[in-house]
């Protein structure tokens, strides 16, 4: 594994230590608010559940968490490129796998690290856990022991046992190879495959390729000892020996000629450009060593422009990432009560992943990813690991395969209803920021940060540079910035990694003063005042840089009052054409979904017209997150139950929107619970235009919006994003002093995505579109 940078190491340790140590906790799913709740949950009421399970063991799926509970189990013998570090040191990795299960597929996980270095002990310990779990995910167990552990457990246990290091990688590789064959017109039975690496993942990939039609005699395997050949004694085992060839060749260079597929699951740099030259026409190269592949894509395309390339890295197309499949395979298996994850289910997952690559992005997904409509081809053989449709395709396919192959104990009767349940999960999964970050990385824009000396800004700048999200411009005194970078152990440096604007000595000072007088001279800004604020007010400097086109977006507000920053944004950047007033949209990412609130910071008492405008402007921002906005205009009145001025205002705003923007899904005035509960809403007003659950809440005034936002943020353990200033002529966002470095990073991505969209709109106007 590559050596971590000092900053990344420090950040990772702080992440794991902050608040409650680790990444997991256990929460009750039923109320425990009074004595009766306790009597139902435990003694004496729990006896009823126990007796029901004694009578019918299948009731455990209905009365306990077992049907949605997976064990991630490791003995720490082959951890994440770190090797045999033992079970205790491997626990952070297993906790990480647990949170991926939860976030991507809503599956609960106990991570279990066991001191069981030998096969017999591990099999006995894991097998004894069967009453607790609906499935077992084996993780980071060294080869060849992992093969025997999985085989023996599958024979003994009546729940799915899945070694993700083997099968997860194999399924994705299988999808990539299948689609590469479709693209080139080659036949699986005719291709030559050469592998570098003969560990668990590599051998599982080769076994699956054989199931997909690749002939075993056309597969050549190399490892640390060279070619796997008949009669070799060094570093051999029965699973590897299956692919031994009768050959005099002993090196990768000797067997690579004419290969259609190179499968690398070894170490960086082993595949040389001269070897790539020897491969067949339109070869597929799966260089999956991480973080340094067996060969870099640039080196491949320099000698073979016709090649297709997959890596394990997120900064190149065709990323082979196990998160593409393992959460969804378990989701489908658990949902039908599968007794195993068998070959039919694995092949169904291969087919589902491969098929998704042929689908154009949905309208919402395309908007979220910047309008990009990447279609099937050499740089899109497999879907993006964060494509929200993965669960919608893989889980049902796996479930159907389980039912067809006879391992499902609870068959799904209504797949339409099942698909809808999965669809609702996608929009509750908490990955709402993924499209924003993905889009930002496609074309990082210049973001100027007013408070460039602040620790949170400096840490955020390091992160956005490392992630390729933005090109930071910091405003700050060089000696202060340099000292703080060193104090915080940050590796970025001005002039090399980011631009630094020195407010005490900027060559554009006079030009900035002239621009400010031109823009705000009729708003009380005298020449003397302009000279002072351009030297002393970082928000003014940032806003002028954006206005002049020297930055694409600005972020300020980490220090000072919101309204003081807003004044300069208003005077210098101004409002977008046709916008009457700014407003602030705040996002809260809660454990059960993501919700927007407005106006949280700008207008104390917006009029009906201003609320209608707020809704129109907010719709664009919400769609940028990959969500279709569903607006609820909230009030103490519920569809006419009160007739106060506030209620009438919200009612009038809805009427305006129905006439001006009938395509928007907007309803009100209503109570907050009616916005979230469709059944309740229908009882109060059966003809409501809003369907399902609202995701954007428009409040009648600033007090209501800000109080609701701050309370939810504190009480619901929510991740806040924003506030997002809507309505400025160019992207400008005013944060608050409570923002964290993480919040600054999130808003940097939002600002870049907004700047990209603005640039695209400007280009379209220039072309006359």
């Amino acid at each position: 594994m590559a050596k971590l940078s000092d900053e990344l190491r420090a950040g990772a340790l702080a992440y794991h230590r902050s608040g409650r140590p680790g990444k997991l906790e256990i929460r009750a799913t039923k109320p425990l608010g009074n004595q009766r709740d306790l009597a139902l949950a435990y003694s004496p009421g729990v006896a009823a559940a126990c007796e029901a399970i004694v009578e019918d063991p299948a009731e455990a799926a209905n009365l306990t968490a077992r049907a949605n509970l997976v064990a991630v189990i490791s003995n720490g013998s082959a951890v994440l490129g770190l090797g045999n570090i033992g079970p205790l040191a491997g626990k952070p990795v297993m906790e990480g796998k647990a949170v991926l299960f939860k976030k991507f597929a809503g599956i609960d996980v106990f991570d279990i690290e066991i001191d069981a270095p030998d096969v017999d002990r591990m099999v006995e310990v894991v097998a004894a856990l069967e009453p607790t779990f609906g499935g077992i995910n084996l993780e980071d167990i060294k080869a060849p022991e992992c093969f025997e552990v999985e085989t023996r457990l599958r024979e003994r246990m009546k729940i799915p046992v899945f070694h993700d290091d083997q099968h997860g990688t194999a399924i994705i590789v299988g999808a990539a190879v299948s689609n590469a064959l479709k693209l080139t017109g080659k036949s699986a039975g005719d291709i030559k495959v050469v592998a570098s690496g003969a560990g668990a993942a590599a051998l599982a990939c080769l076994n699956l390729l054989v199931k997909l039609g690749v002939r075993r005699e056309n597969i050549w395997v190399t490892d640390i000892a060279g070619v796997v050949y008949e009669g070799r004694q060094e570093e051999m085992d029965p699973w590897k020996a299956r692919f031994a060839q009768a050959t005099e060749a002993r090196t990768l260079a000797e067997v690579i000629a004419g290969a259609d597929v190179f499968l690398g699951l070894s170490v960086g740099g082993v595949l040389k450009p001269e070897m790539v030259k020897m491969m067949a026409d339109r070869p597929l190269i799966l260089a999956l060593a991480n973080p340094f592949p067996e060969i870099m894509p640039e080196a491949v395309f320099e000698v073979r422009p016709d090649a297709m390339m997959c890596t394990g890295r997120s900064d190149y197309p065709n990323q082979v990432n196990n998160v593409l499949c393992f959460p969804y395979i378990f989701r489908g298996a658990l949902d039908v009560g599968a007794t195993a994850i068998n070959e039919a289910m694995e092949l169904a997952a291969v087919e589902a992943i491969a098929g998704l690559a042929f689908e154009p992005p949905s309208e919402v997904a395309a908007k979220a990813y910047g309008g990009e409509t990447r279609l099937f081809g050499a740089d899109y053989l497999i879907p993006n690991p964060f494509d929200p449709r993965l669960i919608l395709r893989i889980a049902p396919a796996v479930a159907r395969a389980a039912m067809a192959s006879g391992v499902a104990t609870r068959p799904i009767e209504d797949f339409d209803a099942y698909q809808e349940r999965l669809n609702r999960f996608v929009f509750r999964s908490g990955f709402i920021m993924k499209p924003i970050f993905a889009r930002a990385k496609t074309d990082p824009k210049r973001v100027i940060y007013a408070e460039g000396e602040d620790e949170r800004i400096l840490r955020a700048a390091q992160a956005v540079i490392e992630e390729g999200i933005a090109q930071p411009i910091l405003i700050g005194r060089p000696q202060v910035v340099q000292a703080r970078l060193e104090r915080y152990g940050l590796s970025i440096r001005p002039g090399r990694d980011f631009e630094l604007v020195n407010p005490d000595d900027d060559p554009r000072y006079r030009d900035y003063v002239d621009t400010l007088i031109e823009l705000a001279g009729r708003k009380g800004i005298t020449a003397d005042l302009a000279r002072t604020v351009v030297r002393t007010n970082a928000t003014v400097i940032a806003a002028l840089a954006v206005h002049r086109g020297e930055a694409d977006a600005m972020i300020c507000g980490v220090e000072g009052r919101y309204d003081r920053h807003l004044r300069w944004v208003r005077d210098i950047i101004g409002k977008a054409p046709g916008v009457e007033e700014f407003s602030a949209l705040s996002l809260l990412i809660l454990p059960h979904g993501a919700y927007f609130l407005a106006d949280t910071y700008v207008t104390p008492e917006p009029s009906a017209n201003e609320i209608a405008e707020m809704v129109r402007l907010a719709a664009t921002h919400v769609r940028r997150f990959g969500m279709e906005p569903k607006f609820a205009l909230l009030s103490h009145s519920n569809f006419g139950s009160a007739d106060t001025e506030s209620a009438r205002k919200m009612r009038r705003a809805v009427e305006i929107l129905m006439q001006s923007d009938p395509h928007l899904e907007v309803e009100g005035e209503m109570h907050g619970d009616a916005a979230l509960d469709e059944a309740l809403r229908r009882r109060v007003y059966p003809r409501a235009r809003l369907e399902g659950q609202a995701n954007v809440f428009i409040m009648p005034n600033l007090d209501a919006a800000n109080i609701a936002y701050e309370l939810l943020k504190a009480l619901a353990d929510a991740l806040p994003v924003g506030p997002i200033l809507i309505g400025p002529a160019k992207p400008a966002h005013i944060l608050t002093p409570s923002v964290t470095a993480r919040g600054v990073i999130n808003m940097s991505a939002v600002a870049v995505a907004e700047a990209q969209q603005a640039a695209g709109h400007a280009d379209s106007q220039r072309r006359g579109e």
Side-chain angles (χ1 to χ4, degrees), residues 475-748:
I475 300 173
R477 295 161 293 177
Q479 66 276 17
V480 174
V481 170
Q482 184 65 38
R484 292 184 180 178
L485 288 172
E486 294 174 1
R487 182 194 309 169
Y488 305 138
L490 301 174
S491 62
I492 56 172
R493 292 295 179 264
R496 184 190 70 191
D497 303 301
F498 64 91
E499 180 183 342
L500 181 63
V501 176
N502 180 4
D504 294 336
D505 184 23
D506 188 84
R508 298 165 295 189
Y509 171 71
R510 293 185 183 279
D511 293 336
Y512 275 28
V513 170
D514 291 342
T515 302
L516 180 58
I517 293 171
E518 178 184 344
L519 293 171
R522 295 181 182 274
K523 299 175 183 176
I525 303 299
T526 65
D528 287 341
L529 180 57
R531 284 190 286 270
T532 299
V533 295
V534 171
R535 186 75 76 189
T536 60
N537 191 312
T539 297
V540 170
I541 299 171
L544 288 168
V546 171
H547 172 79
R548 290 162 55 91
E550 294 162 358
D552 301 302
M554 68 171 282
I555 289 177
C556 63
V558 173
E559 300 168 1
R561 285 172 44 180
Y562 191 97
D563 58 342
R564 292 179 178 173
H565 294 284
L566 182 62
R567 176 215 172 161
W568 294 113
V569 171
R570 189 191 304 275
D571 287 351
I572 297 171
I573 293 180
K575 296 187 285 288
V579 173
E580 294 296 323
E581 182 55 283
F582 294 121
S583 54
L585 182 68
S586 295
L587 168 62
L588 286 173
I589 302 175
L590 303 171
H592 55 281
Y595 304 95
F596 294 84
L597 289 82
D599 171 10
T600 48
Y601 283 95
V602 178
T603 307
E605 288 289 345
S607 66
N609 283 322
E610 287 172 332
I611 287 172
E613 180 181 68
M614 189 188 305
V615 168
R616 295 187 200 102
L617 295 173
T620 298
H621 288 269
V622 173
R623 290 191 181 105
R624 197 173 287 129
F625 287 84
M627 294 173 63
E628 190 59 32
K630 293 173 174 285
F631 290 94
L633 274 58
L634 301 185
S635 171
H636 72 286
S637 174
N638 205 21
F639 296 104
S641 65
D643 197 33
T644 62
E645 181 179 347
S646 173
R648 288 193 297 271
K649 175 177 69 174
M650 301 304 278
R651 204 174 303 150
R652 175 60 182 153
V654 172
E655 293 171 356
I656 293 170
L657 288 163
M658 286 181 177
Q659 294 178 5
S660 65
D661 298 85
H663 60 285
L664 288 177
E665 194 168 351
V666 182
E667 192 54 274
E669 84 285 9
M670 71 175 78
H671 288 173
D673 57 355
L676 294 169
D677 187 336
E678 183 171 21
L680 174 60
R681 185 167 63 249
R682 296 297 178 194
R683 285 199 298 271
V684 176
Y685 183 55
R687 300 183 66 183
R689 297 170 66 244
L690 178 65
E691 294 185 1
Q693 192 177 79
N695 53 28
V696 190
F697 305 117
I698 306 297
M699 305 295 184
N701 56 40
L702 180 58
D703 279 348
N706 190 267
I707 291 169
Y709 170 67
E710 297 294 346
L711 278 174
L712 283 170
K713 184 172 66 171
L715 293 175
D717 192 26
L719 171 64
V721 179
I724 302 167
L725 186 64
I726 54 180
K730 294 185 177 181
H733 298 289
I734 306 167
L735 307 185
T736 63
S738 64
V739 73
T740 62
R742 183 184 183 191
V744 176
I745 296 166
N746 282 335
M747 280 307 299
S748 299

Side-chain angles (χ1 to χ4, degrees), residues 175-186 282 351 354-355 358 376:
V177 172
S178 295
N179 279 348
L181 295 179
K182 292 172 184 173
L183 192 63
T184 60
K186 297 179 181 180
R282 302 192 75 184
E351 186 176 345
F358 284 86
F376 174 69

Side-chain angles (χ1 to χ4, degrees), residues 397-525:
V398 169
R400 290 182 188 276
M403 292 163 58
S405 60
V407 296
T409 62
R410 298 189 307 276
I412 294 170
E413 296 181 1
D414 186 344
F415 266 91
D416 289 338
Y418 179 58
Q419 196 82 24
E420 177 58 28
R421 178 158 63 87
L422 295 175
N423 195 57
R424 288 198 303 270
F425 170 78
V426 168
F427 292 99
R428 294 198 312 266
S429 61
F431 276 80
I432 190 171
M433 290 302 299
K434 290 297 181 184
I436 298 293
F437 277 85
R439 178 174 179 177
K441 290 179 181 181
T442 63
D443 183 19
K445 297 296 185 182
R446 300 165 299 170
V447 178
I448 188 165
Y449 300 84
E451 296 92 354
E453 298 175 0
D454 188 279
E455 178 183 357
R456 293 162 293 178
I457 298 297
L458 294 171
R459 292 193 181 280
Q462 171 103 21
V464 300
I465 290 168
E466 288 181 347
E467 294 291 325
I469 294 167
Q471 302 173 40
I473 304 170
L474 273 57
I475 300 173
R477 295 161 293 177
Q479 66 276 17
V480 174
V481 170
Q482 184 65 38
R484 292 184 180 178
L485 288 172
E486 294 174 1
R487 182 194 309 169
Y488 305 138
L490 301 174
S491 62
I492 56 172
R493 292 295 179 264
R496 184 190 70 191
D497 303 301
F498 64 91
E499 180 183 342
L500 181 63
V501 176
N502 180 4
D504 294 336
D505 184 23
D506 188 84
R508 298 165 295 189
Y509 171 71
R510 293 185 183 279
D511 293 336
Y512 275 28
V513 170
D514 291 342
T515 302
L516 180 58
I517 293 171
E518 178 184 344
L519 293 171
R522 295 181 182 274
K523 299 175 183 176
I525 303 299

